[in-house]
Amino acid sequence: MDNFIYNGNAARVIFGRGTISRLAEEAERLSADRVLVLSTPEQADQAQGIAEVLGSRFAGLYSKAQMHTPVDATADALREVERLGANAVLSIGGGSTTGLGKAIAFRTDLPQIVVPTTYAGSEATPILGETENGRKVTKSDPRILPEVIVYDVDLTLTLPVAMSVTSGINAVAHAVEALYAREANPIVSLMAEQGIAAIARALPIIARRPDDPDARADALYGAWLCGVCLGSVGMALHHKLCHTLGGMFNLPHAPMHTALLPHAVAYNAPAAPEAMARIAQALSAKDAATGLFDLAQGLGASMALKTMGMPDDGIDPAVEQAMANAYWNPRVLEKDGLHQLLAGAYEGQRPE
């Protein structure tokens, strides 16, 4: 076996059904008696209802979280933190809300509790992606990692199938890139394979029976594993492209990941054959890239970036930005190859 280094991120994870009943107890463990609850506008009512579990520890609700975590939105939320004298944040929702909580914690070092309602997985990472002036920039810091994650399977039972699929593939992307990461190690690779397999077997069941608690638990468990992968090793081309397109064109996060992932995997396949074999095995498919495409498309996901708001003249500037300050990648970044990759994802073509 090759030498390796594994750094485990210290976070408390509570997983099961009905676990939001423990939120007040978890806030008490963090000595938090003024908890600011965060959500998107669409989930404000749900967040308000969950926040009631906090009792007197609930300080207020800020329901303006936005996709890709714009820095001006964070500045607005920080004014609410100060106004309320909050000494902790509780993020309820998907990656947008979790991102806002992380951005607040990075600037204030306030403790975080996260209640995920999608399969984003970002709650398990010390990584923050923020958007300013058309660019999305990531940073990693121990302050960004949430102290407590409360996974409640019951909260995912009504997650729409379409969102479940793209959110699940978004999570799979973290594990896929972990398998060919520069810092890949056997511990993370085990979690990556298990995470991909759990989500891949859960999503078809969820598509048929959205309220199946066992399938929902499998998907949520897989999302956590994939999130741990994202927080443990570096990412590569796929995530660089998603950050580029998200920052430039404000594309919807999970659908964008879903459309791009098969093409990024196909691009990297010649340089990472062992990782591709493990991905294909976890998917129960013959090929990693086409297996990912067929899984997502077969469950109704749109596979064309042009349907998500990417302009037809956006490919060339996206390639230029992606190649500037590029992430490490197992295959050298080539301008023509990236153009072909994005063109295929733009049209929604099945990778070859």
Side-chain angles (χ1 to χ4, degrees):
M1 179 179 291
D2 294 335
N3 295 348
F4 68 90
I5 297 173
Y6 170 69
N7 288 312
N9 291 318
R12 179 174 168 85
V13 175
I14 298 169
F15 189 101
R17 302 188 66 179
T19 51
I20 59 169
S21 64
R22 300 179 60 167
L23 285 174
E25 174 187 340
E26 293 304 313
E28 183 178 6
R29 285 185 69 257
L30 295 172
S31 300
D33 57 4
R34 299 285 298 168
V35 181
L36 175 62
V37 176
L38 308 174
S39 79
T40 59
E42 296 79 10
Q43 289 189 275
D45 290 343
Q46 181 186 32
Q48 180 73 39
I50 294 172
E52 293 177 1
V53 176
L54 291 169
S56 62
R57 297 177 185 274
F58 174 40
L61 172 67
Y62 182 87
S63 59
K64 299 179 185 179
Q66 297 179 38
M67 189 170 57
H68 304 302
T69 320
V71 294
D72 56 349
T74 299
D76 186 57
L78 285 167
R79 288 189 285 271
E80 191 68 357
V81 169
E82 184 175 0
R83 185 183 73 83
L84 294 172
N87 56 11
V89 293
L90 167 59
S91 303
I92 299 172
S96 298
T97 306
T98 301
L100 177 59
K102 288 178 166 185
I104 292 171
F106 177 67
R107 290 163 172 80
T108 64
D109 206 20
L110 290 180
Q112 303 172 73
I113 303 172
V114 182
V115 177
T117 61
T118 71
Y119 306 129
S122 61
E123 66 277 355
T125 80
I127 300 167
L128 169 64
E130 297 183 293
T131 304
E132 185 175 20
N133 299 324
R135 284 184 176 268
K136 189 169 185 178
V137 179
T138 61
K139 53 177 66 76
S140 180
D141 189 279
R143 291 171 293 178
I144 295 171
L145 181 70
E147 280 75 9
V148 181
I149 312 169
V150 178
Y151 289 107
D152 193 327
V153 175
D154 292 338
L155 297 180
T156 67
L157 295 177
T158 57
L159 185 66
V161 169
M163 191 179 297
S164 300
V165 171
T166 57
S167 180
I169 301 298
N170 178 17
V172 165
H174 311 328
V176 163
E177 293 224 297
L179 283 168
Y180 52 66
R182 178 167 47 183
E183 307 88 351
N185 62 72
I187 309 303
V188 171
S189 293
L190 283 172
M191 290 189 282
E193 285 191 76
Q194 287 294 308
I196 295 169
I199 293 174
R201 67 175 173 258
L203 290 181
I205 300 172
I206 290 169
R208 298 192 302 270
R209 300 191 301 274
D211 60 350
D212 186 310
D214 293 332
R216 290 293 188 178
D218 220 12
L220 197 59
Y221 171 68
W224 171 57
L225 290 176
C226 293
V228 173
C229 293
L230 173 64
S232 300
V233 296
M235 296 288 104
L237 173 62
H238 171 75
H239 282 77
K240 176 62 177 181
L241 290 175
C242 286
H243 290 150
T244 298
L245 298 181
M248 292 180 72
F249 309 122
N250 199 36
L251 303 186
H253 186 77
M256 172 183 61
H257 270 271
T258 301
L260 269 173
L261 182 60
H263 298 275
V265 167
Y267 182 92
N268 280 329
E274 182 180 345
M276 297 302 149
R278 297 177 80 162
I279 295 164
Q281 181 176 358
L283 293 168
S284 298
K286 293 182 179 180
D287 174 75
T290 56
L292 288 164
F293 185 93
D294 293 344
L295 174 64
Q297 186 183 60
L299 296 174
S302 173
M303 303 305 290
L305 293 174
K306 64 183 180 182
T307 68
M308 302 172 196
M310 182 174 174
D312 56 8
D313 60 353
I315 294 176
D316 285 336
V319 169
E320 293 296 332
Q321 189 179 129
M323 293 192 69
N325 301 314
Y327 292 9
W328 177 90
N329 194 62
R331 177 180 168 185
V332 174
L333 300 189
E334 301 165 350
K335 189 173 182 179
D336 290 345
L338 293 188
H339 191 282
Q340 183 178 357
L341 185 166
L342 286 177
Y346 179 81
E347 295 292 342
Q349 298 169 349
R350 188 174 188 260
E352 297 179 357

